[in-house]
Amino acid sequence: FGPWADVVEKKSGSPYADWFMIQDWDAFERHGDTRDGRFYSFAFTDRMPKLNTNNPEVIRYFCQVCKRWIREFDIDGIRFDVGNEVSHRFLKELRRQLKSVKPDLYLLGEIWHDASQWLGGDEYDSVMNYPFRDAVISYVRDGDCGKFSDTVTGICRRYPKCVLDGVMNFLGTHDTERILTV
């Protein structure tokens, strides 16, 4: 990613320095696990720095990239990996801009827990329904109808109908143990 390469080369002198969440410039060049807090990264991997998704320039950049994909390739949707680690500010502005280009664009968040706070109509259209997956597996394994019913009822109460109509129900993904082994 060009902005990160520029930061690696120019450190705090890079115009992209604020695009990332770097806490300790003195220790920035150290390689390996980032649990020491020198900068935020996904899974503490130094090769996957987290973007500062509250930065207006970062928001503007990704809005432009996504609009280009919509216009040039007529994409119908975007899935946000680890969607709960993207700022609300980013999602609200991205949605506003992208829906102005393609009103029926589908914005899907990968969130492994209750995603109610992202489903108010101004961020994601829907989410990957991990709680439902877990409820199905638990029911098949344990046979507890009451627990299954409580979980599904809870999902239905927390998520608006328009979300439920388009929620991504599944039993497995590349991120989960395969259904046949659980």
Side-chain angles (χ1 to χ4, degrees), residues 16-100:
Y16 303 104
D18 291 336
W19 281 39
F20 303 92
M21 296 180 279
I22 300 164
Q23 308 300 309
D24 184 354
W25 286 103
D26 294 331
F28 172 72
E29 292 181 330
R30 187 178 317 131
H31 292 287
D33 191 300
T34 62
R35 281 188 179 92
D36 61 5
R38 63 188 184 279
F39 63 88
Y40 289 95
S41 65
F42 180 74
F44 302 107
T45 303
D46 65 350
R47 295 185 186 264
M48 294 196 298
K50 285 189 180 183
L51 286 159
N52 176 3
T53 56
N54 278 314
N55 181 315
E57 293 173 12
V58 171
I59 296 170
R60 188 170 25 260
Y61 174 84
F62 282 99
C63 284
Q64 290 171 351
V65 167
C66 292
K67 285 194 258 187
R68 178 175 169 246
W69 277 82
I70 293 167
R71 289 182 178 126
E72 290 187 27
F73 303 104
D74 195 29
I75 64 168
D76 293 317
I78 300 172
R79 176 189 171 272
F80 293 80
D81 195 51
V82 195
N84 56 303
E85 294 188 20
V86 179
S87 74
H88 293 284
R89 178 179 181 187
F90 177 95
L91 291 169
K92 288 172 195 283
E93 182 60 20
L94 187 74
R95 179 187 180 89
R96 188 187 68 73
Q97 288 196 36
L98 299 186
K99 295 282 188 166
S100 74

Side-chain angles (χ1 to χ4, degrees), residues 5-20:
D6 196 73
V7 169
V8 168
E9 178 187 338
K10 299 174 185 167
K11 316 298 180 273
S12 61
S14 169
Y16 303 104
D18 291 336
W19 281 39
F20 303 92

